[in-house]
């Protein structure tokens, strides 16, 4: 048996050896070929990346960018007189150096120009849908991009950026790279580099900056116009706090230093008032900021972009004329006339922003896009939309009677109760108590979900103070909403339940005519067409014989008033089948408006604008505005009879709603954000039974 075994193994051994050698030879050949191909490819790639194909680009003179309206007419010419004064790194305070490293590139002193760990972190955060405090690009990459490359968002440009970053790291020390970077970056207000920024914002040299001022400056380059403290002090303070948190996280300062510095005030240089007001100035600033965020300041101010926008200058002129109806109140400490206001108009079908006014035109703070203010009763349509999507109808009956939820007792504007009322009447007369009862029945997460799907992004859903409480149903939000987002959200109702994200820029070309971007409207179905039609029918009643009677324009229109506690904010947002517009009025200091409600000045400004903007547009009815009943009501709410609906509509014709003409009104106006305990103490559903926003809510499809 042993011999048989040896005999059996003998012949097979040479075959295996021969076959193995052959496979190894083939494998080795392919490995050598692959290495050769990779070597050739890398050599070619390196040569192409490090060789600028168009040397003439380096000597191209700066060119202004041009902004055009929807009809192709130029409305603005953008250029910057570069305010730059380079300084040595030794003049830059350590706190400022550390602030930039902490918030922009915390591994700056460790990596070789690119940071794979940072890139993976940014990619993972994007996949998870979270934001990241530090980006994936290193300080060296940002320097390479800003100093040597165009702002094209192409793979080739990104590869060039990587190679240039590696080259910079070979040729310069870390301190030299940081010096070049700090002298290169844009800080808004025409200031390039840290020395010009220190002079622009604080009137001092960079070496004299405090920790407070260093943290503020380090936060600006992320979005220079938005985070400029001269444009948007609140956003700048929030960004400063983020920088301080990052400095504490990486050990540059202590947590107690960060907490103390967050509370310190800034002594800013008073901005020079505008010498003149050009048409669509706030919209031009808004578009300029969008372009800077996307392509960088150098591209916008020096590379001759051609930016085609959605603005309709006839509507813009109508908006600016309507806003002249703002009353003249006191002048604040910054020399700004109060109250201020904002107006936004959008085509609900494609999201095009047709008109935008962000104030009286004497400053650069665009209240249409930057001011987050309490919406008051202007938030209620999201509650009504959630109700209609959950088997309510306009004729569903709710009991308007006293209710106590924990320690909170919501009240109607006039401190009275009306007994059994229909959902339609709740909308027309902007009744608070029934709205709260509806939200309690549905769960507040459902109205929040629908509002989010319609573009409201400012909800606070976690932490001790958040919006998951019933005060949200009456517009008592933690942060508030901007006029742009609220107006865009109402466009969903005009567009048969489909929300289209707002669009400001249609197309961007470079100086050679190459298309850099082309707008593609982003839309999604949020509520059913039937629910949108029923809600529109209810909101038509608000204008016909409800709180928005002063907004009548002689054609089918729907809308909603909003007034907050102590008259701090007044709103009117409304729409026709072709145009949605929102008007906000308030003081920048968030003080009272002396009894002004949404049904007064905002409604009248809205009427003035819409009457002019639509004068050449034929009037038409809302498609499906007479939608039928959707079925029985749910829970303890009764379904009203048709005769009751007719009687209710007849009785409502005599009322102009809760927005009174009197300057002195009862303590709680329609739509007022209620005076309630802190959100943490307000009644909410048990945590275990509260789904995430949208939990249990199926999205309707047309």
């Amino acid at each position: 048996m042993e011999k048989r075994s040896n005999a059996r193994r003998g012949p097979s051994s040479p075959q295996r050896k021969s076959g193995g050698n052959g496979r190894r030879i083939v494998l080795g050949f392919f490995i050598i070929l692959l290495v050769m191909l990779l070597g050739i490819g890398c050599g070619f790639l390196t040569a192409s990346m490090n060789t600028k194909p168009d040397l003439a680009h380096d000597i191209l003179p700066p060119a202004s960018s041009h902004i055009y309206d929807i009809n192709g007419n130029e409305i603005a010419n953008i250029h910057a007189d570069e305010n730059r004064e380079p300084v040595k790194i030794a003049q830059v305070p350590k706190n400022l150096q550390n602030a930039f490293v902490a918030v922009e590139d915390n591994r700056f002193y460790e990596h070789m120009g690119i940071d794979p760990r940072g890139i993976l972190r940014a990619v993972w955060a994007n996949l998870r849908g979270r934001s990241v405090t530090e980006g994936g690009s290193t300080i060296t990459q940002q320097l390479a991009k800003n100093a040597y490359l165009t702002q094209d968002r192409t793979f080739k440009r990104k590869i060039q950026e990587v190679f240039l970053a590696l080259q910079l790291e070979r040729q310069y020390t870390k301190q030299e790279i940081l010096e070049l970077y700090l002298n290169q970056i844009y800080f808004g207000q025409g200031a390039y580099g840290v020395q010009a920024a220190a002079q622009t914002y604080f009137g001092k040299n960079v070496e004299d900056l405090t920790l407070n001022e260093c943290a503020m400056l380090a936060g600006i380059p992320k979005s220079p116009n938005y985070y400029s403290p001269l444009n948007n002090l609140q956003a700048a303070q929030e960004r400063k706090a983020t920088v301080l948190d990052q400095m504490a996280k990486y050990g540059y300062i202590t947590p107690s230093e960060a907490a103390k510095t967050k509370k310190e005030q800034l002594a800013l240089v008073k901005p020079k008032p505008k010498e003149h007001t050009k048409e669509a100035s706030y919209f031009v600033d808004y578009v300029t900021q969008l372009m800077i965020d996307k392509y960088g300041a150098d591209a916008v101010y020096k590379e001759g972009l051609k930016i085609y926008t959605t603005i309709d200058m006839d509507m813009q002129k109508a908006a600016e004329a309507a806003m002249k109806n703002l009353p003249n109140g006191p002048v604040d400490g910054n020399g700004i006339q109060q109250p201020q206001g904002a107006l936004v108009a959008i085509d609900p079908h494609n999201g095009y922003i047709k008109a935008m006014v962000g104030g009286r035109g004497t400053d650069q703070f665009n209240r249409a896009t930057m001011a987050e203010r309490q919406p008051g009763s202007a938030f209620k349509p999201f509650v009504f939309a959630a109700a209609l999507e959950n088997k309510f109808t306009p004729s569903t009956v709710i009991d308007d009677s006293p209710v106590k939820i924990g320690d909170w007792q919501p009240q109607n504007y006039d401190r009275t109760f009306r007994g059994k009322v229909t959902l339609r009447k709740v909308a027309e007369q902007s009744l608070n108590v029934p709205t709260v009862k509806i939200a309690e029945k549905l769960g507040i997460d459902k109205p929040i979900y629908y509002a989010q799907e319609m573009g409201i992004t400012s909800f606070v859903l976690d932490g001790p103070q958040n919006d998951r409480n019933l005060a949200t149903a009456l517009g008592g939000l933690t942060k508030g909403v901007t006029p742009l987002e609220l107006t865009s959200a109402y466009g969903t109702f005009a567009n048969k339940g489909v929300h289209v994200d707002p669009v400001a820029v249609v197309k961007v070309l470079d100086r050679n005519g190459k298309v850099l971007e082309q707008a593609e409207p982003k839309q999604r179905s949020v509520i059913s067409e039937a629910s949108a039609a029923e809600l529109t029918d209810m909101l038509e009643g608000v204008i016909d014989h409800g709180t928005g009677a002063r907004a009548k324009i002689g054609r089918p229109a729907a809308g909603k008033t909003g007034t907050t506690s102590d008259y701090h904010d007044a709103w009117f947002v409304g729409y026709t089948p072709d145009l949605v517009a929102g008007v906000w009025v308030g003081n920048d200091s968030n003080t009272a408006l002396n009894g002004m409600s949404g049904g007064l000045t905002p409604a009248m400004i809205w009427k003035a604008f819409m009457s002019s903007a639509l004068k050449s547009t034929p009037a038409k009815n809302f498609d499906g505005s007479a939608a039928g009943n959707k079925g029985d009501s749910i829970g303890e709410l009764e379904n009203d009879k048709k005769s009751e609906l007719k009687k209710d509509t007849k009785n409502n014709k005599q009322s102009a709603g809760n927005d009174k003409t009197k300057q002195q009104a009862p303590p709680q106006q329609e739509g007022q954000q209620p005076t309630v305990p802190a959100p943490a103490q307000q009644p909410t559903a048990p945590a275990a039974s509260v789904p995430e926003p949208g939990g249990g809510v199926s999205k309707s499809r047309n």
Side-chain angles (χ1 to χ4, degrees):
M1 290 183 67
E2 187 175 344
K3 289 182 178 179
R4 278 200 305 270
S5 176
N6 291 337
R8 190 177 299 168
R9 287 198 303 268
S12 64
S13 181
Q15 291 178 358
R16 285 202 304 272
K17 184 175 181 181
S18 175
N21 288 336
R23 284 194 295 271
R24 282 196 291 271
I25 291 171
V26 173
L27 181 61
F29 173 77
F30 277 110
I31 290 174
I32 293 171
L33 181 62
L34 180 62
V35 170
M36 290 175 62
L37 290 174
L38 286 174
I40 294 170
C42 289
F44 175 77
L45 183 63
T46 302
S48 64
M49 292 302 106
N50 283 304
T51 302
K52 294 185 178 181
D54 183 10
L55 294 177
H57 178 81
D58 288 338
I59 59 173
L60 282 176
S64 300
S65 291
H66 302 269
I67 297 181
Y68 303 91
D69 69 6
I70 192 66
N71 297 312
N73 300 313
E74 184 174 324
I75 60 174
N77 185 308
I78 305 173
H79 63 278
D81 296 326
E82 197 169 294
N83 176 15
R84 189 195 303 271
E85 186 178 341
V87 292
K88 296 295 183 183
I89 194 66
Q91 297 173 256
V92 180
K94 264 297 182 183
N95 278 331
L96 187 56
Q97 297 179 42
N98 294 337
F100 270 101
V101 170
V103 79
E104 296 287 349
D105 182 6
N106 69 85
R107 284 173 33 83
F108 172 68
Y109 294 108
E110 302 169 30
H111 60 64
M112 59 182 180
I114 58 173
D115 184 13
R117 186 189 303 178
I119 294 171
L120 290 174
R121 182 185 62 244
V123 170
W124 176 246
N126 287 333
L127 292 175
R128 292 285 302 274
R130 298 183 294 108
S131 62
V132 288
T133 305
E134 313 108 76
S137 294
T138 66
I139 283 177
T140 315
Q141 286 177 268
Q142 293 178 55
L143 174 62
K145 178 180 67 176
N146 293 333
Y148 303 110
L149 300 174
T150 68
Q151 304 297 325
D152 290 347
R153 294 196 164 194
T154 62
F155 180 72
K156 178 181 178 181
R157 203 275 296 154
K158 194 67 179 175
I159 296 298
Q160 284 179 315
E161 177 186 303
V162 169
F163 275 92
L164 283 170
L166 295 173
Q167 188 174 347
L168 284 169
E169 291 275 350
R170 288 197 304 269
Q171 294 182 359
Y172 299 98
T173 67
K174 289 289 187 180
Q175 286 297 93
E176 289 171 333
I177 290 172
L178 188 57
E179 178 182 305
L180 289 168
Y181 175 75
L182 294 177
N183 283 311
Q184 177 71 30
I185 48 182
Y186 181 61
F187 286 88
Q189 310 295 324
Y192 286 81
V194 291
Q195 172 65 10
Q199 289 285 352
T200 298
Y201 290 108
F202 306 115
K204 59 172 67 173
N205 292 323
V206 66
E207 58 261 35
D208 299 324
L209 294 177
T210 65
L211 172 60
N212 188 25
E213 294 162 343
C214 289
M216 175 65 74
L217 285 190
I220 293 175
K222 179 179 174 68
S223 185
N225 284 5
Y226 183 76
Y227 289 118
S228 165
L230 301 183
N231 291 352
N232 192 350
L233 183 57
Q234 180 180 349
Q237 294 278 22
E238 292 173 357
R239 178 68 177 159
K240 180 190 80 172
T242 299
V243 174
L244 290 167
D245 287 339
Q246 290 297 107
M247 293 181 73
K249 177 180 178 181
Y250 295 112
Y252 293 116
I253 59 176
T254 65
S256 60
E257 285 179 301
K260 177 184 175 183
T261 308
K262 287 178 186 179
K263 299 176 183 178
E264 293 178 3
Q265 298 299 313
L266 289 164
L268 297 169
V269 173
K270 193 171 183 179
K272 295 179 181 179
K274 286 186 176 181
E275 296 180 0
H276 60 89
T277 302
K278 60 180 182 289
E279 289 180 333
S281 61
Y282 289 104
F283 180 77
V284 168
D285 288 347
Y286 174 62
V287 168
T288 301
Q289 181 59 51
L290 292 178
M291 295 295 98
I292 290 174
D293 288 346
K294 185 170 290 188
Y295 300 107
D298 282 350
V300 174
Y301 291 123
K302 299 178 183 179
E303 294 183 11
L305 301 181
K306 289 179 171 52
I307 306 160
Y308 294 87
T309 73
T310 61
I311 201 76
D312 183 312
M313 289 309 294
D314 290 334
M315 290 190 183
Q316 180 65 28
K317 291 173 183 176
E320 292 176 3
M323 290 298 286
K324 295 186 184 301
N325 292 317
L326 282 172
N328 291 326
V331 175
D332 67 14
N334 295 319
I336 305 298
Q337 182 81 53
Q338 301 296 327
Q340 284 287 338
L343 187 154
V344 180
I346 298 174
D347 183 330
H349 307 302
N350 56 21
Y352 283 12
I353 299 172
K354 312 298 285 185
M356 177 184 288
V357 180
R360 293 177 179 265
T362 55
D363 65 353
Q364 292 181 297
F365 180 55
N366 189 344
R367 295 155 187 85
T369 62
M370 296 179 179
E372 291 181 334
R373 304 292 295 231
Q374 298 298 311
S377 272
F379 185 85
K380 288 178 181 175
F382 304 117
V383 179
F384 304 151
L388 293 170
E389 285 287 281
N390 286 272
K391 300 183 181 179
F392 283 65
T393 74
S395 57
T396 296
V397 172
I398 304 98
D399 187 10
D400 181 16
S401 60
V403 62
K404 186 173 183 180
I405 305 171
D407 296 328
W408 180 39
Q409 290 182 281
Q411 298 288 329
N412 292 319
Y413 154 71
D414 56 5
R415 302 282 178 169
T416 64
F417 299 95
R418 292 161 179 77
K420 303 290 185 181
V421 292
T422 62
L423 181 60
R424 180 187 303 276
K425 190 168 185 177
V426 172
E428 292 174 353
Q429 297 192 3
S430 198
L431 301 179
N432 290 337
V433 174
T435 302
V436 171
K437 288 186 175 182
I438 295 169
E440 184 181 31
K441 189 71 181 177
L442 296 171
I444 194 60
D445 275 5
K446 288 184 178 179
I448 289 175
Y449 165 75
Y450 286 111
Q452 287 179 313
E453 289 293 289
M454 295 180 201
I456 305 298
T457 62
S458 53
F459 289 108
V460 178
L461 301 178
D462 300 302
Q465 289 191 319
N466 62 71
D467 293 319
R468 280 179 156 148
N469 59 76
L470 293 176
T472 293
L474 305 183
L477 306 185
T478 304
K479 294 176 65 175
V481 297
T482 65
L484 175 60
E485 285 195 348
L486 189 59
T487 303
S488 174
Y490 271 59
T492 311
F493 310 141
N495 196 34
K496 302 180 180 180
V498 177
H499 179 260
V500 185
D501 290 348
V503 177
V505 176
V506 177
K507 182 171 60 175
V508 179
L509 308 179
D510 68 11
R511 68 198 301 166
N512 298 317
K514 176 186 175 183
V515 177
L516 299 181
E517 69 172 89
Q518 186 94 33
E520 296 181 2
K522 299 176 182 177
Q523 62 182 25
R524 56 189 171 276
S525 180
V526 182
I527 60 175
S528 68
E529 184 174 341
S531 294
E534 289 177 326
L535 181 58
T536 293
D537 190 40
M538 291 161 52
L539 297 184
E540 282 188 275
V542 173
I543 293 178
D544 289 341
H545 42 258
T547 60
R550 290 178 181 80
K552 289 181 182 178
I553 55 175
R555 65 168 69 206
K560 187 71 188 72
T561 55
T563 313
T564 60
S565 296
D566 302 320
Y567 304 97
H568 288 180
D569 300 274
W571 297 79
F572 188 85
V573 189
Y575 55 94
T576 66
D578 300 305
L579 190 67
V580 55
V583 177
W584 165 83
V585 178
N587 292 321
D588 288 335
S589 60
N590 202 28
T591 52
L593 291 168
N594 297 323
M596 182 191 297
S597 64
L600 294 174
T601 301
M604 292 185 284
I605 291 175
W606 186 90
K607 176 181 178 179
F609 166 71
M610 295 292 278
S611 298
S612 178
L614 296 173
K615 62 184 178 183
S616 60
T617 303
K620 64 180 181 181
N621 292 314
F622 290 100
D623 294 336
S625 61
N629 290 340
K630 295 171 66 177
D632 295 334
S633 58
I634 61 173
E636 301 172 359
L637 303 177
E638 306 170 28
N639 188 15
D640 191 18
K641 298 179 181 179
K642 291 183 179 180
S643 59
E644 177 64 22
L645 173 59
K646 293 179 181 179
K647 179 180 177 182
D648 174 59
T649 304
K650 180 178 179 181
N651 291 338
N652 284 339
K653 289 182 179 180
Q654 63 186 356
S655 172
N658 295 332
D659 280 310
K660 304 296 182 179
T661 59
K662 299 177 182 178
Q663 290 299 310
Q664 299 298 325
Q668 192 159 11
Q669 175 78 14
E670 69 78 28
Q672 284 185 316
Q673 166 191 346
T675 303
V676 293
Q681 301 172 0
Q682 291 167 6
T684 58
S689 64
V690 178
E692 290 300 310
V697 182
S698 59
K699 292 178 65 174
S700 299
R701 300 293 170 186
N702 292 343

